[in-house]
């Protein structure tokens, strides 16, 4: 591919709204499979069984689509307008992870990736093939993005960049086109440990390693059963995900605010009342979270998290809000509500 077309691709992707574009090869990560196997062997994926099941693809992007010659990695910024930790000081309110306070990013990013992909086919020739991925296929976006020079995987294991901070989504376009790869970015964490120190559940066994089983994002979103009682107090009022390690990173001082308005916090999701959330019935839950990533976990798991947050609130006025949930037909939710009532005394 000529460097002219390469630059046009980058310009076009940026005009589509992507903040940064990098290119790598599908076979660039020879040790990825081993690192992933180690993570799964140690059980750190918790009950995200899908991670172990499709490990042969996840650990080797070249095997996912053998005809692919290049991987274009793209970053889409969703930086919050305010420090997302402010809501943690209001225990009667719910803290929802920044990325989930409005529309589901998968749909938005995927449409954008497809537009860039179609443009590439038009430019490079009809025999060019592409496949786009956003966090739903067995693709390890973070190491690929690091290899493509978008940034580096920090001690909190997420990708960050000196010019972007760490509030961005990643999308991938695999293509049969041979593109000149970028050089990987250097690590600029240095002696900083801000993200490790900020973690409420000490989910990092070591820098650059995450034990998902202790991570609030995993526990509140992916984990289906009751959350270990020893970890519940550390959830605080976080009912869907956790941003503490991301928010602590000093490189965010260079983060641009998201230009996509559909990522800005919905008024009713920036700091919703726990009592109002506890009153949601099934239809109310589906209506409120239509088009939101939160819908995926369903009412029972969502209210399980709300019940833990009420239990952690220290606010006995919330007892009446959680009491009806103790009789819910979902046993995990009912137990969470009973735990909250007992904790509120
Ligand atoms: S998301 Fe929260 S719980 Fe998970 S590692 Fe980061 S700070 Fe810790
Ligand atoms: S907070 Fe510090 S250690 Fe953690 S990712 Fe950012 S720069 Fe690296």
């Amino acid at each position: 591919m000529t460097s002219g077309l390469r630059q046009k691709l980058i310009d076009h992707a940026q005009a589509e709204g992507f903040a940064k574009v990098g290119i790598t090869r599908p076979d660039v990560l020879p040790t990825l499979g081993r690192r992933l196997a180690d993570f799964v062997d140690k059980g750190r994926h918790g009950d995200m069984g899908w991670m172990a099941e499709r490990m042969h693809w996840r650990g080797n992007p070249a095997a996912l689509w053998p005809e692919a010659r290049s991987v274009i990695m793209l970053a889409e910024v969703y930086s919050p307008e305010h420090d997302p930790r402010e809501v943690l000081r209001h225990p009667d309110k719910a803290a929802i992870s920044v990325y989930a306070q409005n529309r589901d990013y998968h749909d938005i990013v995927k449409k954008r990736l497809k537009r860039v992909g179609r443009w590439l086919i038009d430019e490079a020739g009809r025999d060019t093939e592409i496949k786009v991925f956003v966090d739903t296929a067995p693709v390890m976006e973070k190491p690929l993005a690091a290899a493509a020079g978008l940034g580096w995987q920090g001690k909190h294991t997420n990708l960050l960049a000196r010019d972007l901070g760490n509030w961005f989504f990643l999308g991938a376009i695999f293509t049969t086109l041979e593109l000149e790869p970028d050089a990987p970015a250097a690590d600029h964490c240095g002696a900083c440990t801000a993200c490790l120190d900020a973690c409420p559940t000490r989910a990092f066994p070591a820098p650059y390693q995450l034990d998902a089983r202790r991570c609030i994002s995993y526990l509140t979103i992916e984990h289906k059963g009751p959350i270990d009682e020893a970890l519940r107090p550390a959830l605080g009022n976080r009912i869907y995900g956790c941003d503490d390690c991301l928010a602590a990173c000093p490189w965010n001082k260079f983060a641009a605010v998201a230009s996509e308005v559909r990522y800005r916090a919905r008024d009713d999701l920036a700091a919703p009342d726990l009592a109002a959330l506890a009153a949601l019935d099934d239809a109310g839950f589906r209506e409120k979270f239509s088009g939101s990533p939160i819908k995926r976990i369903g009412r029972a798991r969502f209210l399980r998290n709300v019940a833990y947050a009420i239990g952690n609130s220290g606010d006995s006025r919330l007892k009446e809000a959680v009491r009806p949930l103790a009789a819910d037909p979902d046993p995990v939710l009912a137990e969470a509500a009973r735990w909250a009532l007992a904790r509120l005394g």
Side-chain angles (χ1 to χ4, degrees):
M1 184 190 213
T2 65
S3 59
L5 186 52
R6 188 182 193 284
Q7 189 54 48
K8 272 166 76 180
L9 164 67
I10 293 168
D11 293 345
H12 185 81
Q14 288 178 336
E16 272 290 349
F18 290 107
K20 209 167 173 186
V21 185
I23 295 165
T24 188
R25 297 180 51 84
D27 57 0
V28 76
L29 302 166
T31 61
L32 178 64
R34 208 170 59 234
R35 279 189 284 146
L36 183 62
D38 184 52
F39 178 79
V40 169
D41 282 350
K42 290 190 167 108
R44 290 181 180 163
H45 61 307
D47 45 31
M48 293 184 284
W50 44 267
M51 210 168 233
E53 279 156 23
R54 297 198 284 175
M55 206 156 63
H56 57 293
W57 283 341
R58 214 172 280 280
N60 181 8
L64 181 64
W65 186 26
E67 288 76 27
R69 291 290 167 269
S70 307
V71 180
I72 306 159
M73 294 302 304
L74 305 100
E76 171 143 324
V77 167
Y78 71 98
S79 316
E81 293 168 286
H82 306 290
D83 186 334
R85 294 167 295 185
E86 280 165 21
V87 65
L88 301 177
R89 292 201 294 269
H90 303 280
D92 59 329
K93 307 277 186 194
I96 294 175
S97 190
V98 170
Y99 85 86
Q101 290 180 6
N102 205 324
R103 303 291 299 184
D104 193 332
Y105 70 92
H106 294 95
D107 307 336
I108 300 173
V109 177
K110 196 157 205 171
K111 282 196 183 114
R112 243 194 264 292
L113 288 175
K114 283 184 174 167
R115 282 199 296 270
V116 174
R118 276 196 295 270
W119 175 90
L120 188 60
I121 290 170
D122 287 346
E123 286 286 317
R126 308 301 299 176
D127 55 344
T128 301
E129 291 180 58
I130 61 147
K131 290 188 200 290
V132 304
F133 301 103
V134 192
D135 209 18
T136 44
V139 173
M140 297 291 275
E141 281 99 350
K142 289 185 241 179
L144 279 171
L150 287 194
W152 72 99
Q153 277 189 271
K155 290 180 189 172
H156 57 19
T157 73
N158 292 296
L159 206 76
L160 72 156
R162 287 196 293 179
D163 50 351
L164 287 183
N166 56 204
W167 301 106
F168 53 88
F169 303 124
L170 291 171
I173 303 176
F174 281 50
T175 176
T176 51
L177 208 57
E178 290 274 2
L179 303 174
E180 188 192 327
D182 287 285
D187 183 320
H188 294 279
C189 280
C192 175
T193 56
C195 53
L196 311 179
D197 301 338
C199 180
T201 51
R202 298 199 309 280
F204 299 108
Y208 306 101
Q209 289 181 29
L210 175 71
D211 187 342
R213 294 167 300 182
R214 295 188 68 84
C215 172
I216 295 171
S217 286
Y218 162 78
L219 291 169
T220 54
I221 299 171
E222 305 288 346
H223 180 69
K224 294 190 178 76
I227 293 178
D228 184 345
E229 279 201 48
L231 288 173
R232 292 180 196 178
L235 302 178
N237 59 346
R238 299 171 192 81
I239 62 156
Y240 190 93
C242 168
D243 290 318
D244 291 30
C245 53
L246 291 177
C249 183
W251 286 107
N252 289 327
K253 59 177 174 279
F254 300 110
V257 171
S259 56
E260 171 57 75
V261 292
R262 288 172 292 179
Y263 297 145
R264 300 220 178 123
R266 255 167 56 181
D267 288 345
D268 64 330
L269 295 185
D273 288 332
L274 286 170
L277 296 177
L280 286 173
D281 62 13
D282 219 33
F285 174 82
R286 276 187 274 116
E287 190 188 347
K288 190 170 183 69
F289 294 113
S290 162
S292 153
I294 295 175
K295 189 176 172 196
R296 186 172 68 84
I297 68 169
R299 171 186 172 270
R301 204 184 312 166
F302 181 75
L303 289 192
R304 174 203 68 177
N305 301 338
V306 171
Y308 293 148
I310 289 178
N312 290 333
S313 69
D315 186 343
S316 58
R317 290 171 306 171
L318 292 176
K319 275 162 87 171
E320 292 320 308
V322 79
R323 200 184 302 281
L325 299 178
D328 196 275
D330 184 281
V332 176
L333 170 54
E335 186 277 329
R338 287 195 300 275
W339 177 84
L341 284 168
R343 213 161 135 77
L344 291 176

